[in-house]
Amino acid sequence: TQKAWVDEPEIIKTDGSYVYYYASPDYNRSSVTRGKIAIFKAGATISDANILKIINLPQSFQSVKMFLQDRKLIIIAQRYLNNAIPYESYFIDRNTKTTVIVYDVSDPLQSKVLKIVDYDGTYTDARIVDQQLIVTSQVWFNRWPIYPLIAKDGTLDINKLDLDLDKLTPAGITIDRTDDPA
C-alpha cells in the first residue's frame, strides 16, 4: 500500500491471521498450488507453514490479482473464451473477459463465493479507494466485420453495414456507483 486510502492488487495478501497467496502457473513449480490460491496461517515458520485451504481457479484465468478487505477476498483475473463468439461477427471483442470474484473469508476454511461479475475487455488494473473497488479493462475495436463490406475497388457498401447496437457496444460496461456491500 503506497497511500493510506488506496489499496493495490497483489498476488499475496494478509489480514494478520492468514496469508492468501496466488501461485501463478507460469512461475510456480509446485503442482499443489499452481494456478490456485493457497491459504496459510500467518506467523508460522517456514517449516510450520502448512496449506490450510486451496481455492481452485479456472485454468483459463490469467493476470490474477487479489484484494483483501473487510473479510472479503476479491480475485480479479483476465480470461479468453477461445472464440466462443465468432471474432468476425462483432465490432467489439467479446471473447476477452475481466472476471471479478468476491469470497467471504470470515472463516477462511469455510470460504464461499458471494459474487461473480464478468466484463468485456482485457484486465488492465484495479484499486480500492475509500472502500470502493475500481476495475479497468480495455475493450478492443474489431475491424473484421468491415472487411467483407469493402469492394475490390476499395469503396465501402454502407447499405450492407449492420449498425445493430448489440454488436457495437460492449456488454457489461459499468460506470456507475453501487452501494452493494458485496
Side-chain angles (χ1 to χ4, degrees):
T1 303
Q2 294 180 15
K3 296 201 179 269
W5 47 275
V6 178
D7 192 6
E8 298 178 1
E10 303 290 343
I11 62 168
I12 188 166
K13 290 290 187 177
T14 185
D15 60 6
S17 298
Y18 296 93
V19 175
Y20 302 82
Y21 170 66
Y22 171 69
S24 170
D26 299 330
Y27 304 110
N28 187 303
R29 298 190 194 280
S30 168
S31 62
V32 174
T33 59
R34 184 179 301 144
K36 303 171 184 178
I37 294 174
I39 302 173
F40 300 88
K41 184 75 175 150
T45 63
I46 292 183
S47 60
D48 294 335
N50 295 324
I51 298 172
L52 300 174
K53 178 163 177 101
I54 288 186
I55 297 175
N56 292 308
L57 298 176
Q59 289 182 343
S60 61
F61 275 19
Q62 301 172 355
S63 304
V64 175
K65 300 290 182 177
M66 300 180 298
F67 289 101
L68 184 61
Q69 192 168 78
D70 298 329
R71 299 182 181 189
K72 291 182 178 88
L73 179 68
I74 302 165
I75 301 167
I76 303 171
Q78 173 182 307
R79 63 190 180 89
Y80 189 71
L81 298 179
N82 201 18
N83 287 329
I85 301 167
Y87 189 70
E88 300 82 24
S89 65
Y90 284 90
F91 285 98
I92 301 297
D93 174 15
R94 296 261 168 89
N95 288 315
T96 307
K97 302 289 183 183
T98 296
T99 302
V100 179
I101 303 174
V102 180
Y103 279 88
D104 177 355
V105 290
S106 307
D107 177 0
L109 302 179
Q110 301 297 320
S111 59
K112 60 184 175 182
V113 175
L114 295 176
K115 183 184 286 191
I116 300 175
V117 181
D118 232 3
Y119 297 100
D120 284 341
T122 304
Y123 167 62
T124 56
D125 210 349
R127 297 284 187 274
I128 292 181
V129 179
D130 292 331
Q131 298 187 340
Q132 291 184 9
L133 175 65
I134 300 166
V135 179
T136 58
S137 63
Q138 184 172 12
V139 179
W140 297 95
F141 180 75
N142 177 12
R143 65 184 179 270
W144 293 110
I146 298 288
Y147 286 163
L149 307 177
I150 299 174
K152 288 185 181 181
D153 65 359
T155 60
L156 181 65
D157 184 354
I158 60 169
N159 294 323
K160 292 182 182 176
L161 189 60
D162 182 6
L163 296 176
D164 180 2
L165 283 180
D166 289 335
K167 292 183 180 183
L168 292 172
T169 57
I173 189 165
T174 304
I175 308 176
D176 57 352
R177 180 183 168 145
T178 179
D179 291 328
D180 185 353

